[in-house]
Amino acid sequence: MRILKRLFAHVRPYWKPLLLTAIAMLLATGLSLLPPLFQRAIIDGVLATGDLSQLWKLIAGLVGVYALLQVVSMAEQYVRHVLGARFILDLRVRLYAHLQRLSLSFFEQTSTGELMSRVTNDVEALENFVTHGVTLTAVDLLRLLGASAILVTMEWRLALVVLIPVPFIALGLRYFNRYARPIYRQARDRLGDINARLEDNLAGIRVTQAFVQEEPELLRFSDTSRQYYHQRVRSIRAWSTYFPVLRFLALLGTALVLGFGARMVANGQVTLGTLVAFLAYSASFYEPLNRLTEIDNILQQAIAAGERIFELMDEVSDIQDAPDAMPLASIEGDVVFDDVHFRYQDGEEVLHDVDFHIAPGEVVALVGPSGAGKTSIARLLSRFYDPVHGRVLVDGHDLRGVQLASLRRHVAVVLQDTFLFNGTVRENLCYGKPDATDEELAAASTAAYAHEFIAQLPQGYDTEIGERGVKLSGGQKQRLALARAILADPRILILDEATSSVDAEAEYLIQQALDEVMKGRTALVIAHRLSTIRNADKIVALEDGRIREIGNHQELLSRGGLYSQLYQRQLELAVSQEN
C-alpha cells in the first residue's frame, strides 16, 4: 500500500485531466446503462403487445445512445492516454534530474544498464497504471455500484444470485496479489540485468572482438536473458491461470441468473423483458468486476516498477550543499589541503595527513606510484567526495560550506580516461560554455593543439565524432578534452594525465601550449611522465596516501628521495627503450 500511496501522490498534480477523464467516463457509464431499458421497452411494450407505433422511436433513441456513447468514449480515451504519456514524460525527466544530483560514489557502485532500465522500462511500465489503473478503478467501482442498485431495484431475488460468485472472486484476487507481486519484482530485476549486461558488452565490443570472446559473451547474455524469460513465464502462468478462473466464476453467475430467471418468467414472477434487461445489467455488473481483476494485475506490475523507481528516487547524494552554503562568485585560486584524511565508502583510508598549499596562479604537480592517492586529491578538490577528516579550502572557504555548482564553474578537469559525447566536435567543445564564439573555439583548440586536425575533418567543427568519440584517435580525443576545459576558462585547472595518449611531438606542443594556458591559473597536474612537470612551481611526491616530500624539480632531485628515485627509474627505462 505504501508504494501505491506514493504512486497516487505523483499522479495527484494531474487532477484537472483526471477530473475531465472521470467526468467523461461517468457520462459513458451512465450512457452504457441505458440500452437495456430500451431493450426491455421494446420486448415488453412492443413485442408483447404487438403495438409497433413506438418501435422506431425506441430504435432511434437506442442508436442515439450508442452514437453518443462512442463520441464520449473517444474523447475520454484520448484524454486518458495523453495524460498517461505526459505523466511518463514528467516522471522520466524528474528521475533523470534526480540522477544528475547524485554523488559520484553512487555511480561507481551502480551499473549504468541497471539505471537505464529503471529510467526507461520501469517508468514505461507505469503508463498502464495511469491510463487504466487510476481512472478506470474509480469509474468501474461506481459502475459496479450503479449496476448493483439497478439490479436490486429491478429484482432483488435475482440480484442475490448475481452476488454468489463475488466472495470467491475476492478470495482469488487476494491470493493472486500475494503470489504475483514478488514474481513481477523479480522479472523487473532480471530485465535490469539484461540492460546492464547489454550496456557493458556494447561499450566493450572492441575488447570482446580483439580477444575473440564473442561466443562466451553470447552465452552470458543468453543466460541472463533466459533468467528473465523464466520470470516472465512465471508471471504469464500466474495471470493466464487466475484470470480465466475468475472470469469463469462471473460467467457462472450469469448462467445461474439465466436459470433462476427463466424459472421465474415461466412462473409469471417477472416479465421476459425484465429478464433480458436483468441479464444485460448483470453483464454491466460483471464487466467492471472482471476489469477490476485485470486492473489489479496492472497495479501489481506498477507496484513492482514503482518499488524500483522509488528506491532510486530515495537515494540521497553524499555530496550536498549545506543549508547555509555560500556561492563563489569569483575566486583567486588559492587552494589548501589541511590535515586531510579520506577513504572510499567503508574501505581503508587512501589519504593520510595530507597538508599542502597552492598559491593563486601556481602550478603544482602530484607524482607517485599507482595507488598513491593522486587522483583522490583531484577528486576532493572538485568535491566529488568530501574528506573524512580535515578540510579542503579554496580562497579560505571550506568546500563543504560553498555551493557546489558555483565551485565547479571555477574548476575544469581533464581526465586520463577521456569521455566525449555522441555529437559534433563543436557540441563537445561547447559543453562547458554553450555560448562560445567561433573565435573562442579556434583559440581554445589551438591552445590544445587540436585546431589543425579539426580543420582537416570532413565538416570541421561540425563533424560527428560518434559515441564516445569513436571516430577519433586517443590523442585527438584527449586534445579535444583539453580544449573543452580551456574554453570553460576556469580559475583552477586539473590535469589528470592529460597528455598520456599523445605522441612525443604532440605532447611537446601541448606542453608548450599549456605553459601559456596555465599562466594566471591555479593548476593541479597529475603525471606519470615526470619529464612533463619539470617546470612546475611545486611538486608533491606521494606514496601510500602520504606526502613524502614537496619542492621543485631541482630541489627534489638533489634530495635523492622518492621523486629522485622515480625520475631516475624513468630515465633508465627511456634509455633501455631507445636501445
Side-chain angles (χ1 to χ4, degrees), residues 230-251:
H230 289 314
Q231 288 300 324
R232 286 284 294 139
V233 168
R234 288 185 65 195
S235 65
I236 291 170
R237 186 185 302 122
W239 61 258
S240 64
T241 300
Y242 286 110
F243 293 132
V245 171
L246 298 182
R247 281 192 288 270
F248 169 76
L249 291 173
L251 292 172

Side-chain angles (χ1 to χ4, degrees), residues 458-505:
Q459 284 82 42
Y461 283 87
D462 295 314
T463 302
E464 295 281 344
I465 61 174
E467 187 175 5
R468 301 190 181 188
V470 68
K471 297 180 182 179
L472 303 176
S473 70
Q476 289 173 332
K477 288 192 289 186
Q478 205 148 25
R479 280 177 275 170
L480 280 189
L482 180 58
R484 178 170 60 189
I486 294 169
L487 189 62
D489 193 23
R491 297 301 306 158
I492 299 175
L493 184 62
I494 300 175
L495 306 174
D496 188 351
E497 286 295 308
T499 62
S500 63
S501 297
V502 299
D503 55 38
E505 181 185 359

Side-chain angles (χ1 to χ4, degrees), residues 155-340:
E155 177 50 61
W156 66 271
R157 289 167 294 186
L158 288 179
L160 293 177
V161 176
V162 170
L163 295 175
I164 290 175
V166 173
F168 300 100
I169 293 174
L171 288 173
L173 272 179
R174 182 181 179 185
Y175 179 75
F176 173 78
N177 289 345
R178 295 174 61 183
Y179 176 74
R181 187 173 300 172
I183 294 177
Y184 285 134
R185 173 58 196 255
Q186 291 166 19
R188 304 219 69 82
D189 287 342
R190 299 293 78 76
L191 183 58
D193 293 341
I194 288 178
N195 278 275
R197 183 160 292 281
L198 181 62
E199 193 278 335
D200 196 43
N201 289 355
L202 293 179
I205 189 66
R206 281 178 289 184
V207 177
T208 299
Q209 293 179 349
F211 286 90
V212 198
Q213 290 297 300
E214 293 91 340
E215 192 65 28
E217 287 297 344
L218 175 60
L219 291 175
R220 280 189 282 268
F221 183 79
S222 297
D223 181 63
T224 304
S225 298
R226 195 172 290 110
Q227 292 179 37
Y228 173 63
Y229 163 77
H230 289 314
Q231 288 300 324
R232 286 284 294 139
V233 168
R234 288 185 65 195
S235 65
I236 291 170
R237 186 185 302 122
W239 61 258
S240 64
T241 300
Y242 286 110
F243 293 132
V245 171
L246 298 182
R247 281 192 288 270
F248 169 76
L249 291 173
L251 292 172
L252 180 62
T254 302
L256 291 173
V257 169
L258 182 58
F260 282 102
R263 185 173 181 177
M264 293 176 73
V265 170
N267 291 335
Q269 294 175 293
V270 297
T271 65
L272 178 60
T274 298
L275 178 60
V276 171
F278 197 93
L279 287 170
Y281 282 119
S282 296
S284 294
F285 176 85
Y286 288 126
E287 181 184 347
L289 196 62
N290 285 331
R291 196 156 61 188
L292 284 173
T293 62
E294 295 173 2
I295 290 172
D296 182 76
N297 185 41
I298 292 172
L299 291 180
Q300 297 312 310
Q301 295 184 54
I303 289 171
E307 284 178 343
R308 287 166 50 84
I309 290 171
F310 293 135
E311 279 178 5
L312 191 53
M313 296 188 78
D314 289 341
E315 285 288 341
V316 178
S317 177
D318 297 334
I319 307 299
Q320 298 186 49
D321 286 339
D324 57 347
M326 60 173 290
L328 287 178
S330 62
I331 64 171
E332 293 296 321
D334 185 86
V335 176
V336 174
F337 277 71
D338 177 22
D339 190 25
V340 169

Side-chain angles (χ1 to χ4, degrees), residues 19-33 69 72 76 135 138-143:
L19 180 61
L20 183 61
T21 301
I23 291 172
M25 293 183 75
L26 286 173
L27 182 57
T29 299
L31 290 169
S32 68
L33 294 175
L69 176 60
V72 173
E76 174 268 321
T135 49
V139 171
D140 280 342
L141 286 173
L142 290 174
R143 188 176 179 185

Side-chain angles (χ1 to χ4, degrees), residues 317-326 383 386 399-407:
S317 177
D318 297 334
I319 307 299
Q320 298 186 49
D321 286 339
D324 57 347
M326 60 173 290
R383 209 189 165 209
D386 283 332
L399 296 189
R400 285 171 290 204
V402 303
Q403 292 178 4
L404 187 61
S406 69
L407 166 69

